[in-house]
Amino acid sequence: MQPATAKWYDRRDSVFVEFCVEDSKDVKVHFNKSKFDFGCLSGTDTIKQQNAVDLFGEIDPKVSKHRRTDRSVLVYLRKAEAGKSWPRLTKDKTKCNWLSVDFNNWKDWEDDSDEDLSSFDKFSEMMNTIGRDDVPDLDGAGEEHESADSDDEQMPDLE
């Protein structure tokens, strides 16, 4: 048994933790107010991976959730106290060798306005649409349409 490699980032009302485990099976995530446990079997060798994380702040275990993909498991932790930034994921200041900051998704949200749709919701929406056969109809894509277009107007002379 070994810990799964993970990246995390902070948002105004939530924290995201992405466990980088390919071909995961038997994913189990248990949420408590001040900690969560993650476990799964990963890869073709079915390596057992397990992480127990004592969190920096409290979360709402009823709203927190996770989503599995072929390459990772994304965990959404809903903060109990929205608007309070977390300087680190874990309660202890000790460095975890399996955990790093996800700078690609990190956002200095203290200066920004509220987000209209959380990243997890956007991610879920994207994942729900993958694999569907609702590809737009491109049959008339090459045809010209008779519509007023700003490019058709005469440009004024330069002075």
Side-chain angles (χ1 to χ4, degrees), residues 21-121:
V21 287
E22 291 188 21
D23 301 324
S24 58
K25 299 177 204 110
D26 300 331
V27 175
K28 293 181 178 87
V29 183
H30 299 285
F31 301 104
N32 293 320
K33 279 190 134 196
S34 60
K35 69 178 276 182
F36 78 96
D37 297 307
F38 169 80
C40 72
L41 298 174
S42 69
T44 55
D45 301 333
T46 60
I47 299 168
K48 185 170 183 174
Q49 298 191 314
Q50 189 168 352
N51 300 64
V53 183
D54 290 319
L55 298 167
F56 175 80
E58 290 190 353
I59 61 168
D60 184 349
K62 293 177 183 167
V63 182
S64 298
K65 50 191 171 182
H66 73 281
R67 179 151 187 106
R68 182 203 164 277
T69 66
D70 289 338
R71 295 186 157 259
S72 66
V73 177
L74 183 64
V75 177
Y76 167 81
L77 304 170
R78 178 67 165 213
K79 292 180 182 178
E81 189 177 336
K84 183 179 176 187
S85 68
W86 288 17
R88 61 187 177 276
L89 179 66
T90 59
K91 184 178 184 178
D92 297 329
K93 289 186 178 182
T94 57
K95 170 82 171 125
C96 299
N97 60 355
W98 54 269
L99 182 64
S100 64
V101 175
D102 187 352
F103 288 107
N104 291 333
N105 288 310
W106 192 270
K107 183 177 181 182
D108 190 15
W109 53 263
E110 292 173 335
D111 299 332
D112 294 339
S113 61
D114 289 337
E115 298 175 55
D116 55 0
L117 187 62
S118 76
S119 296
F120 189 82
D121 292 337

